[in-house]
Amino acid sequence: MLGLDPRLVALLCLIFIGIGIFNIIQGRKRLRNEQAQGQRSVWYKQPGILTGIEYILLSFMFLLNIGITSHWFPSDLNPIIYPLYLFILFTSAIMAGVIIYMSMQVARRRRAQMANQEAQQTTPSTYKEVHSEATLEKRRERRKKAAAARRRRAGKA
């Protein structure tokens, strides 16, 4: 594995497992808070929980990789270990894609909410609407009169 010391990789895997457990715990707290507020939330739509699961899967994948490259496992287990390694690898890749997709969706929703809030804030009140309509009508009449005057001057010149 790129010549890294297996002890260092194992230490990093332990750190990843710790971060994964922390993310799962935080995701469960958010899930409980949302459910307490009356929202219908499910665990598989919580980015924190999914990120925690992904970290744990990645750490297991790295540990399996170390075991395979260092020949920690007996050769009789190779038919089980290699497919398990590939399964964890593809599952973690799919999880990463799902998390990225979810974060993009959240960003789009936030932008749409911000645009809606700005539109609601800039919407004038009914008094202002009536006042502005009257002002617009006056401006239109002035423009029409000015255009008619320009046409008259152009015809006389």
Side-chain angles (χ1 to χ4, degrees):
M1 191 171 144
L2 301 174
L4 292 177
D5 186 18
R7 292 174 293 188
L8 176 66
V9 176
L11 179 66
L12 291 175
C13 289
L14 289 176
I15 291 172
F16 266 43
I17 289 171
I19 293 172
I21 291 171
F22 176 76
N23 280 335
I24 290 172
I25 291 170
Q26 292 299 316
R28 289 191 63 199
K29 283 182 184 176
R30 285 190 202 114
L31 181 67
R32 276 193 234 120
N33 288 340
E34 288 177 5
Q35 289 174 346
Q37 293 174 355
Q39 297 176 359
R40 291 186 50 109
S41 297
V42 289
W43 69 270
Y44 54 86
K45 290 188 178 180
Q46 286 291 325
I49 294 175
L50 294 178
T51 304
I53 293 171
E54 181 191 4
Y55 279 146
I56 292 172
L57 284 175
L58 284 173
S59 62
F60 285 147
M61 184 197 63
F62 285 129
L63 289 174
L64 279 174
N65 190 0
I66 292 171
I68 290 170
T69 56
S70 299
H71 303 290
W72 289 347
F73 304 113
S75 60
D76 296 343
L77 291 179
N78 284 344
I80 297 170
I81 299 287
Y82 288 128
L84 179 66
Y85 174 75
L86 290 175
F87 175 76
I88 291 175
L89 176 68
F90 289 129
T91 305
S92 62
I94 290 169
M95 295 276 294
V98 167
I99 291 168
I100 291 169
Y101 176 76
M102 286 176 59
S103 63
M104 288 173 33
Q105 292 297 323
V106 168
R108 284 184 190 145
R109 271 190 241 122
R110 280 191 187 140
R111 270 188 264 133
Q113 285 178 346
M114 296 284 280
N116 287 341
Q117 288 176 353
E118 289 174 5
Q120 289 174 355
Q121 290 173 354
T122 58
T123 303
S125 64
T126 54
Y127 171 74
K128 289 182 179 178
E129 287 177 5
V130 171
H131 182 69
S132 64
E133 286 179 21
T135 307
L136 287 174
E137 193 63 37
K138 287 179 184 177
R139 287 181 185 170
R140 284 187 199 120
E141 289 177 20
R142 268 189 266 142
R143 287 182 190 143
K144 285 180 184 177
K145 288 179 183 177
R150 281 192 300 271
R151 279 189 234 111
R152 282 193 303 265
R153 275 186 247 135
K156 291 181 181 179

